[in-house]
Amino acid sequence: MLNAIKSFYEILKGMGITARQILRGSQTYQYPETKRPVRQRFKGRHELRRYDNGLEKCIGCALCAAACPADAIFVEASENTDEKRFSPGERYASTYEINMLRCIFCGYCEDACPTEAIVLGDNYEMSFTDRSQSIYTREKLLVPVPPGGNPTPQQVEPGMFDRSIPMMENPD
Ligand code: SF4
Ligand code: SF4
């Protein structure tokens, strides 16, 4: 008899949970039509940021590559000139690659970057059918030129940029 009461109680408990879930409504996002908003500190696909004038923030210092515990980043730097300027610094990243199959999305690269050029953004839609597609190149990672800015390379006035590392005002 005691067992029957216990079983009946468990059934009622289960039905209660089911009823509660029905009243809460659907918790399923109909992806990809509806995308679940990401949290403020979400670490998704990387972006290489630009300044408002369109110049690239990356100065090719490779500190991000040095900080990466997964050895996922490869950077090759080249010199800027006033005729062909990519960044406000002395150098820019002529090659910048992230192997997304290696990346563990720790964010150390973002922490190490002195110019806040590499940022882990909100995008989590990454899928590959081939290993070579997992290499995200500079062209793929660079954000679009902001309105009012110019694409890189830019031609600038001689002597306009004379610092090896751009001046940073109150970095966040
Ligand atoms: S998020 Fe971490 S693992 Fe991925 S590239 Fe940056 S430092 Fe490397
Ligand atoms: S992303 Fe930042 S740390 Fe990496 S090479 Fe560019 S400037 Fe240096």
Side-chain angles (χ1 to χ4, degrees), residues 46 64 67-70 72-73 98 102-109 120:
H46 309 62
C64 51
C68 178
I73 306 180
I98 301 182
R102 283 181 167 238
C103 178
I104 53 170
F105 298 90
C106 62
Y108 285 2
C109 49
L120 278 79

Side-chain angles (χ1 to χ4, degrees), residues 46-138:
H46 309 62
E47 289 178 350
L48 277 173
R49 297 273 166 93
R50 293 176 186 268
Y51 293 100
D52 291 343
N53 60 7
L55 283 177
E56 297 162 24
K57 289 191 171 183
C58 179
I59 51 171
C61 67
L63 284 176
C64 51
C68 178
D71 200 13
I73 306 180
F74 175 69
V75 185
E76 212 166 48
S78 297
E79 299 278 326
N80 280 306
T81 62
D82 290 331
E83 291 73 38
K84 273 182 103 177
R85 181 161 286 280
F86 291 81
S87 79
E90 195 176 1
R91 300 190 302 165
Y92 71 100
S94 44
T95 305
Y96 193 101
E97 293 175 354
I98 301 182
N99 184 341
M100 293 297 177
L101 286 178
R102 283 181 167 238
C103 178
I104 53 170
F105 298 90
C106 62
Y108 285 2
C109 49
E110 184 176 324
D111 293 344
C113 181
T115 60
E116 299 180 343
I118 188 84
V119 174
L120 278 79
D122 291 350
N123 189 342
Y124 49 81
E125 293 177 311
M126 286 178 281
S127 60
F128 331 110
T129 52
D130 183 300
R131 290 180 76 86
S132 63
Q133 291 171 3
S134 69
I135 310 292
Y136 277 56
T137 58
R138 170 182 182 279

